[in-house]
């Protein structure tokens, strides 16, 4: 039964997909995001905020603010979490689908 649950979640929130939600809670290790699903919650951990530099809890987006984030993975246990990233480099890859090598099309 748990495999079917996770297969459905992974189909709904595929790796690399851009999802939107609202910041629901702050923790010392990141923020929880309400992605509009009663079965799972999103989580953005501290390393998944910035490409460079140090992220601190004081820099977290406000509770209730809207965020767009990219699906990175899943916590397939009783926590039922979808891992998210808001790193600029990850968001860029999700928003702009580049084809490589671009030079071959010149």
């Amino acid at each position: 039964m748990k495999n079917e649950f996770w297969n459905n979640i992974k189909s709904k929130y595929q790796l690399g997909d851009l999802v939107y939600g609202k910041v629901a809670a702050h923790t010392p290790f990141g923020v929880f995001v309400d992605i509009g699903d009663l079965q799972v919650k999103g989580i953005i951990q501290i390393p998944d905020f910035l490409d460079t530099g140090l992220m601190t809890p004081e820099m977290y987006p406000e509770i209730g603010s809207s965020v767009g984030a990219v699906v990175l993975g899943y916590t397939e246990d009783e926590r039922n979490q979808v891992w998210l990233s808001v790193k600029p480099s990850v968001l860029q890859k999700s928003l702009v689908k580049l084809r490589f090598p671009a030079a071959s099309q010149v």
Side-chain angles (χ1 to χ4, degrees):
M1 188 70 170
K2 196 69 168 170
N3 282 343
E4 183 179 332
F5 171 81
W6 278 107
N7 287 339
N8 288 336
I9 294 300
K10 289 177 181 179
S11 176
K12 187 174 182 180
Y13 303 103
Q14 295 180 17
L15 298 178
D17 279 357
L18 184 63
V19 297
Y20 296 93
K22 291 195 181 283
V23 175
H26 292 168
T27 69
F29 52 85
V31 300
F32 285 100
V33 179
D34 178 350
I35 55 176
D37 192 315
L38 296 176
Q39 298 180 336
V40 293
K41 54 190 158 196
I43 182 167
I44 307 169
Q45 296 179 343
I46 286 177
D48 296 312
F49 277 99
L50 302 173
D51 288 317
T52 60
L54 297 174
M55 180 71 180
T56 63
E58 295 79 27
M59 297 166 64
Y60 290 166
E62 291 184 31
I63 292 176
S65 64
S66 297
V67 294
V70 176
V71 176
L72 293 182
Y74 317 92
T75 305
E76 296 184 48
D77 59 20
E78 65 281 349
R79 294 174 287 176
N80 292 351
Q81 297 169 341
V82 176
W83 305 339
L84 303 172
S85 177
V86 293
K87 281 184 181 180
S89 63
V90 174
L91 287 170
Q92 179 68 21
K93 287 178 188 173
S94 179
L95 292 170
V96 180
K97 306 292 186 194
L98 299 178
R99 295 183 295 157
F100 291 98
S104 68
Q105 295 181 10
V106 177

